[in-house]
Amino acid sequence: MGSIEGGARVGDATWGDGTRAVRAGEDAPVPGAPLRPSPVFAAPYHLGDRPPRADGTDAYARTEHPTLRVFEAAVGELDGGRCLSFATGMAAISAAVLAVVRAGDRVVLPSDGYYTTRLLARDELERYGVTVEYVPTPEIGAVAARGDLDGAALVLLETPSNPQLDVCDIAAVARATRAAGAVLAVDNTTATPLGQRPLELGADLTVGSDTKALTGHSDLLLGHVSTGDDELYARLKSFRDHTGGTPGPFEAWLGHRSMSTLDLRLARQAATAGAVADLLAAHPAVSGVRWPWRPGDPSHDLATRQMLRPNGVVSAELPDAAAVARVLGASRLWTAATSFGGVHSTLDRRAQWGGDAVPEGFVRLSCGIEDTADLVADLAAALDAV
């Protein structure tokens, strides 16, 4: 498999996260042109007397369109590869898996990762004769070290995992998958491209649900896959062309607009997450607090070595479901909602959805961009209701 030549546009390598988030995907400025191109709303395009796709001519928006190319260039620049965008995060995960595996292959997935990914494996992969092995995120590194990945076609990591926030050593697993001839895909949703760069650590694919922190306003469904490999890119592009998971122009335009503030949002969310984790850890009714960047967390050493910056998601355990309900009832700023990474702070009792092997009082807190002091004070008062 060869590396991408002339893929995503690359900015100055010395630029900081804020500059890259704003400037990613931009061409050289043209006098009189808008700072950011407007969305191009079209399904078919004029062909004239040229054959479809000749000289880059757009033909039909299911395969690509101008607004999508700009967004993909921007995301690919942050990932350090070449990006394909999808209508949802699950569409991206599905493409990353189904474009790689065939009937009879063996796939290794995290047993503690996103539940719908496991549903995809159970309900779709297994009925096509794919053997699926489920391994907890903290153990995948040990499995790789033992050479137990031999014979696998695809290994999927999710690090930090959702919802328990365990971290796996991407570089170590990448060495093992390369030796085994397997493709390594990393779900980088929680970390974001600013918080972790799986392709630089040896992964073949990096996947993200851009519904979450990348676009960050809880009003879009988007996903993406990036790679530095020509063959994998072609397979993914063909899969998307055939299955029709392409985002529309307005979603792509909104995604590009929204990711401009990613650096600022992550900074506030991470600051709040650190304060929230300390508050929860000190409360007698709370146990099992997880935030990889908190000293003493089981993943702390690896997270601070592998990740570039912290994120805004914290997990913890309250005594039971009733305790979670009391906290939510007493809070003015923490909203009961699923998903994470948005500008609003949310608290999600994961057991209510089924699928995750977590206690009834296990919660995932997604810190928004409200003032840290306000969120901490509100949560502290709400915890008194427990």
Side-chain angles (χ1 to χ4, degrees):
M1 295 183 180
S3 62
I4 293 291
E5 296 292 340
R9 288 164 278 193
V10 179
D12 190 327
T14 64
W15 285 348
D17 284 352
T19 304
R20 294 192 309 120
V22 172
R23 297 288 186 168
E26 289 188 349
D27 285 321
V30 176
L35 289 179
R36 176 150 295 162
S38 300
V40 177
F41 296 108
Y45 292 79
H46 289 290
L47 293 177
D49 58 357
R50 290 182 291 181
R53 302 192 182 100
D55 303 321
T57 301
D58 284 306
Y60 190 58
R62 174 172 50 78
T63 56
E64 60 182 312
H65 53 79
T67 308
L68 188 62
R69 283 195 295 274
V70 174
F71 179 51
E72 289 175 336
V75 178
E77 208 169 299
L78 296 187
D79 274 337
R82 195 172 175 189
C83 169
L84 284 165
S85 187
F86 292 83
T88 69
M90 275 311 302
I93 283 283
S94 299
V97 173
L98 295 172
V100 171
V101 303
R102 299 178 180 179
D105 281 346
R106 174 187 171 217
V107 172
V108 178
L109 299 181
S111 61
D112 53 348
Y114 183 46
Y115 179 49
T116 310
T117 302
R118 286 178 277 134
L119 287 180
L120 170 71
R122 187 195 72 188
D123 296 344
E124 309 301 337
L125 294 184
E126 292 182 3
R127 73 187 178 96
Y128 285 118
V130 175
T131 299
V132 183
E133 181 179 347
Y134 302 91
V135 180
T137 295
E139 298 177 19
I140 293 180
V143 169
R146 293 196 302 266
D148 290 348
L149 298 181
D150 291 345
L154 173 73
V155 176
L156 173 66
L157 304 180
E158 183 180 331
T159 178
S161 63
N162 171 30
Q164 293 171 303
L165 303 179
D166 280 308
V167 175
C168 184
D169 190 330
I170 296 173
V173 177
R175 289 191 292 270
T177 54
R178 194 175 301 113
V183 170
L184 175 61
V186 177
D187 186 334
N188 200 40
T189 300
T190 306
T192 82
L194 295 188
Q196 188 169 258
R197 298 192 190 115
L199 298 181
E200 291 184 5
L201 295 169
D204 300 293
L205 302 171
T206 181
V207 186
S209 173
D210 303 335
T211 305
K212 311 297 193 297
L214 186 72
T215 62
H217 290 77
S218 304
D219 55 8
L220 287 173
L221 290 172
L222 282 170
H224 81 275
V225 185
S226 292
T227 184
D229 185 281
D230 288 305
E231 181 183 342
L232 284 174
Y233 179 86
R235 287 158 70 180
L236 287 159
K237 178 68 164 62
S238 177
F239 183 88
R240 191 183 71 180
D241 289 352
H242 295 160
T243 56
T246 315
F250 194 51
E251 286 76 13
W253 183 83
L254 284 173
H256 192 195
R257 178 216 59 180
S258 299
M259 63 178 275
S260 299
T261 59
L262 178 60
D263 170 59
L264 297 175
R265 289 185 279 107
L266 286 178
R268 171 62 66 83
Q269 290 164 341
T272 298
V276 165
D278 288 343
L279 169 68
L280 293 170
H283 198 282
V286 181
S287 61
V289 177
R290 296 297 306 275
W291 187 57
W293 287 74
R294 187 171 185 272
D297 186 277
S299 293
H300 176 265
D301 291 346
L302 177 56
T304 52
R305 184 171 73 248
Q306 175 172 278
M307 297 175 66
L308 302 170
R309 57 192 291 174
N311 54 48
V313 183
V314 180
S315 66
E317 185 181 341
L318 296 176
D320 50 34
V324 178
R326 288 194 294 272
V327 169
L328 286 167
S331 173
R332 298 170 61 192
L333 294 177
W334 292 88
T335 302
T338 193
S339 196
F340 57 89
V343 295
H344 294 82
S345 293
T346 62
L347 190 154
D348 188 13
R349 189 175 71 83
R350 293 304 301 163
Q352 68 184 317
W353 303 104
D356 292 322
V358 294
E360 287 297 314
F362 179 93
V363 292
R364 181 182 65 200
L365 298 96
S366 175
C367 302
I369 63 169
E370 303 96 336
D371 286 282
T372 298
D374 293 337
L375 288 168
V376 171
D378 180 80
L379 183 59
L383 286 169
D384 289 341
V386 177

